[in-house]
Amino acid sequence: MQIDQQTPEWYRARYNQLRDQALLKENSARPAAAPIEMAESSILHRETIPGGWYWSTLLPRGQALRLINTSGNNGVSVGIWNADDHSERYNAGDTIKLQWTTCLTTGRVLFSDMGRVLASIINDSCGFSDTLMGGSTPQSNAHNFGNAGLRNTRNNLRLIAGKHDMAQHDVTSCISFFSHISTQADGSFRWIEGDVQPGDYVDLRAEMNLLVAVSNCPHPLAPDKAFAPAPIDAVRWQAPAIKADDLCRTFCEEARRGFENTDPLFA
């Protein structure tokens, strides 16, 4: 086909064809994910994050952060920066596009805006997250709870950025764990109830030296009738040595290339 015949419809059909081929190949060869255990002796630090509040930590390469949704809150938002260079940060668009999915759970990785892997999702008992909508804002709190002055993820992440000598423009997209969002045919989003349970947890393994920000505020589409998020627990721990068949490093070709861009920095 000539270049002048490649219409938007042609590109859309081609994209869908490539996507379906990639997903078919991936799903047919996807290995079973054995949980990576967090031994008590590997724990380095514990923290309880009150409802509505925020917390940040430096997470060196090779360590992991476990977020425990103790009471079953509908959403916990996370922002990630390269601790050695804050201009490199989590990029939701590339993370979705390069892995052909919005389903970011065990085995998936979180890409930076420089094509490198910031973190790997090595465990996820809930299995649902959202990186399309972003976290709560004063406007979403006003709509959901009638009070724009309640604590929210946008301002929480801005406060963390300020404490690390960053500005508002350094706060970009976040990922909200323990959040099941469905994209409708008209492009709108809908919360799916029943999939977030008390005690759910997610483990992020640092593939670079990271600054991780956590905001314990409800997702903007959460069905909560009142603003009353319960405390969550955060545990920083030493992840075990990475094996040759590590699920996150071998899940798909795009992940492999991401690690090829990342590992030389630490050779």
Side-chain angles (χ1 to χ4, degrees):
M1 176 179 289
Q2 299 299 317
I3 188 68
D4 59 353
Q5 297 176 299
Q6 296 175 355
T7 63
E9 290 73 19
W10 182 89
Y11 280 108
R12 188 175 296 110
R14 178 62 174 160
Y15 171 86
N16 289 335
Q17 179 187 28
L18 292 173
R19 179 200 61 192
D20 293 343
Q21 289 174 351
L23 291 175
L24 180 62
K25 178 182 177 181
E26 169 193 302
N27 291 333
S28 63
R30 179 175 179 174
I36 297 178
E37 300 296 335
M38 182 182 72
E40 191 68 26
S41 60
S42 70
I43 295 175
L44 304 170
H45 179 76
R46 293 180 182 270
E47 190 82 21
T48 296
I49 308 172
W53 285 82
Y54 62 86
W55 175 75
S56 65
T57 188
L58 295 175
L59 193 68
R61 175 175 160 96
Q63 290 186 13
L65 179 65
R66 172 167 292 191
L67 299 176
I68 307 172
N69 195 1
T70 314
S71 300
N73 291 355
N74 288 318
V76 174
S77 297
V78 173
I80 306 176
W81 294 263
N82 175 354
D84 300 321
D85 179 2
H86 292 161
S87 68
E88 182 175 12
R89 70 290 300 265
Y90 172 63
N91 187 288
D94 285 352
T95 296
I96 294 168
K97 177 177 61 179
L98 293 174
Q99 297 175 102
W100 300 88
T101 185
T102 59
C103 183
L104 302 177
T105 184
T106 304
R108 295 300 188 176
V109 299
L110 306 181
F111 280 93
S112 78
D113 49 6
M114 297 185 182
R116 292 190 276 253
V117 179
L118 292 171
S120 297
I121 305 175
I122 58 174
N123 291 313
D124 181 10
S125 68
C126 176
F128 296 101
S129 62
D130 170 50
T131 196
L132 294 172
M133 284 204 63
S136 60
T137 65
Q139 291 77 15
S140 68
N141 280 345
H143 177 268
N144 293 333
F145 309 114
N147 185 352
L150 295 169
R151 300 197 67 90
N152 63 85
T153 289
R154 187 182 71 183
N155 288 347
N156 280 349
L157 296 183
R158 287 178 175 179
L159 287 168
I160 292 172
K163 291 182 176 182
H164 291 273
D165 298 321
M166 291 185 282
Q168 289 187 14
H169 64 258
D170 293 304
V171 179
T172 55
S173 52
C174 66
I175 179 170
S176 295
F177 293 102
F178 319 117
S179 303
H180 189 180
I181 299 298
S182 174
T183 306
Q184 306 302 293
D186 62 359
S188 63
F189 301 107
R190 182 169 65 91
W191 180 273
I192 306 298
E193 295 194 56
D195 293 307
V196 179
Q197 303 297 326
D200 276 338
Y201 66 92
V202 62
D203 284 313
L204 301 177
R205 183 181 64 204
E207 307 296 353
M208 303 175 68
N209 298 323
L210 303 180
L211 168 63
V212 182
V214 182
S215 173
N216 184 15
C217 290
H219 189 279
L221 285 187
D224 302 43
K225 301 301 182 184
F227 184 87
I232 62 169
D233 293 317
V235 182
R236 187 164 54 84
W237 58 288
Q238 182 62 51
I242 297 173
K243 298 179 180 179
D245 61 349
D246 180 79
L247 178 62
C248 296
R249 286 176 165 260
T250 59
F251 198 103
C252 61
E253 289 298 326
E254 291 76 12
R256 291 189 183 94
R257 286 194 289 270
F259 282 106
E260 289 173 359
N261 291 335
T262 306
D263 291 342
L265 295 177
F266 301 92

